[in-house]
């Protein structure tokens, strides 16, 4: 089959206010983010003819056609997509296919939610999962913590590894004025002093939800050259969805979908781990970062502590990870937070947190982006280049 | 019996037999009539051979803890007097894994691979929850039973 390598590009990114923002619906964040992404790409309203939308918490009312109405668009290509946290990466693949086959010229991909302000409806994240609620087993935190406890048992991971991840990401957030945790530093001691939520997870192992939206625009490589900013080309994409509830999962300690989806994406891109200058790794929980990077082959089981030590992934480190602060310390827009951050880094417009001389890191040419959803149930991998 | 305020099981057409047997204090799951695989959660097809024939067989009620978590945060106020409490994935001797709670021992004594056995708690006239306790022969010096929950 024909490869999609370098045939499509991300050409625009749209942000919204993020944090606790009452008086806004989830829908309004989709609309505002899409509007800003279209503007960022330098497109006219009539240019955009494709849309992919991730409905928060499976809210089917938030669909491309409803968003398109508010933006005055007419769509040739549109779909709701939910692979939970893996959606943004999955959308890259589906948008690429539509663009390459000429089914759309410009595709805008949207996410938005308002769990704090109440515009997303109750219980998006804290809700019990089916009969599990009868056993007091709640939230995504319960599921990932269940996997993490098994990780402690099988390969001696734990807070010594996870604190390194949380602290490094907070340092990136401190450089990002949009990050919810921009003004709050975190030390190792702060990490250990944060309260237990679902043991073995402390508060700082767990991402914070936010009221916000995020969107990005994709087009063909040919059209991308005429857009406002430098195109970010898609080199490789992969999906792997283990498709088993975490209670029955045989992948609590890996390999998760990062392994197979990563192999697919790397093969398509024609690069190896050594070519990756920085990563945006789905980080709903610290342990997710560890398992994902293990899956890609950055280190083996039990080697996470040594890998993350001495700020390797922090500003100034040799392999920057989650340079906006990520879901743990910037804001939670599922995979959109991470994918859009990779795009703006590769475009060289990340300001104070820009990879390169500003943060004493390597100027990035190729970046790896992961998405993970359900509870390790879905996974997407995207490799981007400038 | 005081009013039970915690979330109740939410049976579907597929899971109702499981909960009906629990009410009779029997742990039963579907065993494939073609290949013998015992599956959970309930469903209409065997994931190993796609046979649609199955029988609800009675299980030993014995297993071990595959993994567990301890809830400190109150996600639902009905559990506010219970925190901290343990939820676990139990691997039954017959193979399948299920979500449950560990009761009858101190939280600090809960360990992965600990042998456990089912103990049904009648919560309402309609439902009994299959919870798990350390296996009797292991409730020794290291595992001091606490008062019944
Ligand atoms: Zn079978």
């Amino acid at each position: 089959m024909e490869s999609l390598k370098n045939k499509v590009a991300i050409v625009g990114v749209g942000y919204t206010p993020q944090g606790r923002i009452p008086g806004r619906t989830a829908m309004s964040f989709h609309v505002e983010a899409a509007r800003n992404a279209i503007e960022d790409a330098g497109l006219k309203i009539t240019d955009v003819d494709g849309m992919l939308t991730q409905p928060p918490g499976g809210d089917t009312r938030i669909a491309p056609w409803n968003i398109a109405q508010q933006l005055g668009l007419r769509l040739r290509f549109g779909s709701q997509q939910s692979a939970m946290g893996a959606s943004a990466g999955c959308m890259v693949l589906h948008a690429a296919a539509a663009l390459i086959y000429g089914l759309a010229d410009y595709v805008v991909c949207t996410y938005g939610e308002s769990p704090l302000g109440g515009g997303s409806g109750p219980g998006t994240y804290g809700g019990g999962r089916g009969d599990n609620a009868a056993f007091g087993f709640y939230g995504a935190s319960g599921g990932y913590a269940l996997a993490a406890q098994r990780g402690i048992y099988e390969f001696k991971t734990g807070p010594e590894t996870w604190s390194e991840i949380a602290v490094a990401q907070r340092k990136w957030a401190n450089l990002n004025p949009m990050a919810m945790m921009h003004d709050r530093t975190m030390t190792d001691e702060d990490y250990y002093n944060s309260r237990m939520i679902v043991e073995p997870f402390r508060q700082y192992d767990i991402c914070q939800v936010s009221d916000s939206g995020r969107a990005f625009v994709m087009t063909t490589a040919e059209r991308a050259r005429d857009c406002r900013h430098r195109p970010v080309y898609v080199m490789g994409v992969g999906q792997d969805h283990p498709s088993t509830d975490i209670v029955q999962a045989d992948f609590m300690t890996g390999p998760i979908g990062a392994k197979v989806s990563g192999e697919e994406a790397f093969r398509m891109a024609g690069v190896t781990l050594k070519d990756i200058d920085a990563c945006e790794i789905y980080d709903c929980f610290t342990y997710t970062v560890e398992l994902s990077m293990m899956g890609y082959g950055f280190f083996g089981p039990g080697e996470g502590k040594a890998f993350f030590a001495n700020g390797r992934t922090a500003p100034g480190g040799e392999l920057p990870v989650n340079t906006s602060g990520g879901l743990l310390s910037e804001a939670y827009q599922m995979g959109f937070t991470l994918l859009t951050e990779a795009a703006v880094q590769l475009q060289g417009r990340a300001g104070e947190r820009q990879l390169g001389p500003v943060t004493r890191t390597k100027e990035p040419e190729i970046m790896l982006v992961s998405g993970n959803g359900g509870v390790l149930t879905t996974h997407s991998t995207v490799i981007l280049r400038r | 019996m005081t009013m039970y305020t915690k979330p109740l099981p939410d049976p579907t057409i597929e899971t109702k037999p499981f909960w009906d047997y629990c009410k009779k204090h029997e742990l039963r799951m579907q065993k494939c009539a073609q290949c013998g695989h015992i599956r959970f959660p309930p469903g209409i097809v065997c994931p190993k051979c796609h046979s649609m024939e199955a029988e609800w067989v009675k299980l030993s009620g014995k297993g071990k803890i595959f993994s567990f978590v301890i809830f400190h945060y109150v996600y639902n106020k009905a559990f506010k007097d219970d925190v901290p409490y343990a939820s676990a994935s139990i691997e039954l001797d017959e193979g399948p894994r299920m979500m449950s709670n560990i009761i009858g021992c101190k939280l600090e004594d809960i360990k992965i691979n600990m042998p456990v056995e089912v103990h049904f708690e009648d919560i309402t006239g309609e439902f009994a929850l299959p919870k798990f306790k350390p296996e009797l022969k292991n409730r020794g010096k290291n595992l001091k039973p606490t008062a019944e929950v």
Side-chain angles (χ1 to χ4, degrees):
Chain A
M1 201 191 85
E2 202 184 351
S3 167
L4 58 75
K5 182 183 177 183
N6 297 338
K7 293 207 168 107
V8 298
I10 298 172
V11 292
V13 170
Y15 296 87
T16 73
Q18 50 194 32
R20 180 180 290 274
I21 303 168
R24 289 279 306 256
T25 60
M27 178 74 172
S28 78
F29 287 116
H30 281 258
V31 172
E32 183 183 358
R35 170 199 180 272
N36 293 341
I38 295 165
E39 158 79 25
D40 188 56
L43 299 174
K44 297 193 302 289
I45 291 173
T46 48
D47 290 333
V48 178
D49 56 358
M51 187 183 293
L52 295 171
T53 291
Q54 182 183 358
D59 184 346
T60 53
R61 295 165 304 179
I62 299 178
W65 12 101
N66 304 333
I67 298 164
Q69 179 179 4
Q70 297 205 13
L71 292 166
L73 308 178
R74 188 175 180 116
L75 303 177
R76 288 201 290 149
F77 169 73
S79 183
Q80 276 184 329
Q81 283 203 358
S82 191
M84 291 80 82
S87 302
C90 294
M91 285 181 184
V92 168
L93 179 55
H94 297 125
L99 292 163
I100 290 166
Y101 285 101
L103 303 175
D105 294 341
Y106 299 92
V107 179
V108 57
C109 300
T110 74
Y111 188 69
E113 61 174 319
S114 55
L116 303 174
S120 287
T124 309
Y125 299 104
R129 301 167 60 244
D131 289 342
N132 290 345
F135 299 105
F137 188 70
Y138 282 97
S141 304
Y144 279 94
L146 193 69
Q149 184 81 264
R150 185 80 194 179
I152 292 172
Y153 171 79
E154 280 190 23
F155 61 86
K156 306 276 185 280
T157 185
E160 299 82 7
T161 304
W162 306 336
S163 58
E164 300 277 0
I165 295 170
V167 169
Q169 289 193 210
R170 182 59 62 87
K171 286 180 180 159
W172 285 111
N174 294 146
L175 299 175
N176 178 3
M178 286 183 310
M180 289 168 73
M181 292 297 164
H182 175 252
D183 300 328
R184 293 177 56 183
T185 57
M186 187 201 293
T187 62
D188 224 36
E189 199 185 346
D190 293 333
Y191 169 88
Y192 280 100
N193 286 339
S194 71
R195 66 189 170 136
M196 277 293 180
I197 303 291
V198 185
E199 211 175 318
F201 284 158
R202 291 171 168 79
Q203 185 182 348
Y204 289 163
D205 289 306
I206 301 175
C207 74
Q208 36 171 12
V209 297
S210 61
D211 303 330
S212 53
R214 194 68 66 87
F216 59 92
V217 179
M218 289 178 60
T219 190
T220 58
E222 214 161 71
R223 290 189 184 88
R225 291 181 210 117
D226 301 325
C227 289
R228 180 172 289 159
H229 300 288
R230 178 200 280 174
V232 173
Y233 296 98
V234 176
M235 297 184 81
V237 188
Q239 299 184 28
D240 183 42
H241 309 309
S243 307
T244 300
D245 188 273
I246 198 64
V247 177
Q248 284 89 31
D250 58 7
F251 46 82
M252 287 188 188
T253 56
I256 60 167
K259 186 178 189 318
V260 170
S261 71
E263 286 164 0
E264 180 92 32
F266 276 103
R267 188 165 50 242
M268 199 181 289
V271 298
T272 67
L273 275 191
K274 290 194 300 294
D275 299 307
I276 300 299
D277 299 316
C279 299
E280 305 295 336
I281 303 291
Y282 199 82
D283 59 327
C284 46
F285 301 91
T286 48
Y287 182 62
T288 322
V289 177
E290 182 184 11
L291 269 191
S292 298
M293 292 189 77
M294 267 168 56
Y296 291 126
F298 284 103
F299 52 85
E303 296 169 2
K305 180 175 179 293
F307 183 85
F308 289 104
N310 304 315
R312 174 181 276 171
T313 60
E318 68 185 81
L319 184 70
V321 172
N322 296 354
T323 52
S324 70
L327 306 175
L328 290 171
S329 282
E330 190 210 337
Y332 187 70
Q333 291 115 3
M334 298 233 177
F336 286 69
T337 304
L338 302 152
L339 191 80
T340 54
E341 173 65 10
V344 297
Q345 286 286 359
L346 290 166
Q347 288 174 326
R349 51 191 186 120
E352 242 189 299
R353 67 181 189 282
Q354 177 63 49
L355 295 171
V358 182
T359 52
R360 307 175 319 283
T361 51
K362 187 172 178 241
E363 216 162 299
E365 287 178 26
I366 300 178
M367 289 180 69
L368 173 68
V369 184
S370 83
N372 184 279
V375 180
L376 306 172
T377 323
T378 63
H379 202 97
S380 62
T381 302
V382 179
I383 298 172
L384 299 172
R385 75 164 176 88
R386 66 176 187 192
Chain B
M1 191 188 254
T2 52
M3 256 272 271
Y4 189 82
T5 58
K6 291 172 191 164
L8 296 174
D10 185 18
T12 64
I13 289 168
E14 276 96 37
T15 63
K16 189 173 183 301
F18 174 80
W19 290 110
D20 287 346
Y21 287 120
C22 282
K23 190 178 158 186
K24 292 191 259 182
H25 291 199
E26 288 179 14
L27 192 65
R28 286 181 185 256
M29 291 182 181
Q30 289 162 294
K31 181 178 185 175
C32 175
Q34 184 167 289
C35 77
H37 175 67
I38 299 176
R39 63 181 179 261
F40 197 79
I44 64 166
V45 165
C46 171
K48 298 289 183 199
C49 76
H50 285 195
S51 165
M52 293 180 75
E53 301 299 320
E55 180 193 356
W56 286 84
V57 294
K58 190 170 176 183
L59 306 185
S60 64
K62 293 184 192 303
K64 60 189 183 188
I65 298 174
F66 187 81
S67 193
F68 67 97
V69 296
I70 297 172
F71 277 85
H72 293 260
Y73 182 80
V74 178
Y75 282 89
N76 179 324
K77 62 182 188 313
F79 287 93
K80 73 174 168 17
D81 297 329
D82 292 40
V83 287
Y85 61 87
S87 301
S89 173
I90 306 296
E91 186 163 275
L92 299 166
D93 284 355
E94 292 85 354
R97 268 190 253 150
M98 63 179 286
M99 172 50 53
S100 186
N101 295 121
I102 306 299
I103 59 169
C105 78
K106 290 182 177 171
L107 292 177
E108 58 266 34
D109 290 333
I110 297 175
K111 299 277 183 284
I112 284 177
N113 275 343
M114 191 167 105
V116 289
E117 58 194 6
V118 72
H119 171 85
F120 287 94
E121 274 186 17
D122 296 308
I123 54 170
T124 67
E126 279 306 297
F127 290 108
L129 292 182
K131 297 193 173 183
F132 284 80
K133 285 181 171 183
E135 219 177 16
L136 193 57
K137 66 176 190 280
N138 287 293
R139 283 183 233 158
K141 51 190 182 305
N142 297 325
L143 301 168
K144 306 165 198 72
T146 56
E148 287 288 305
V149 181

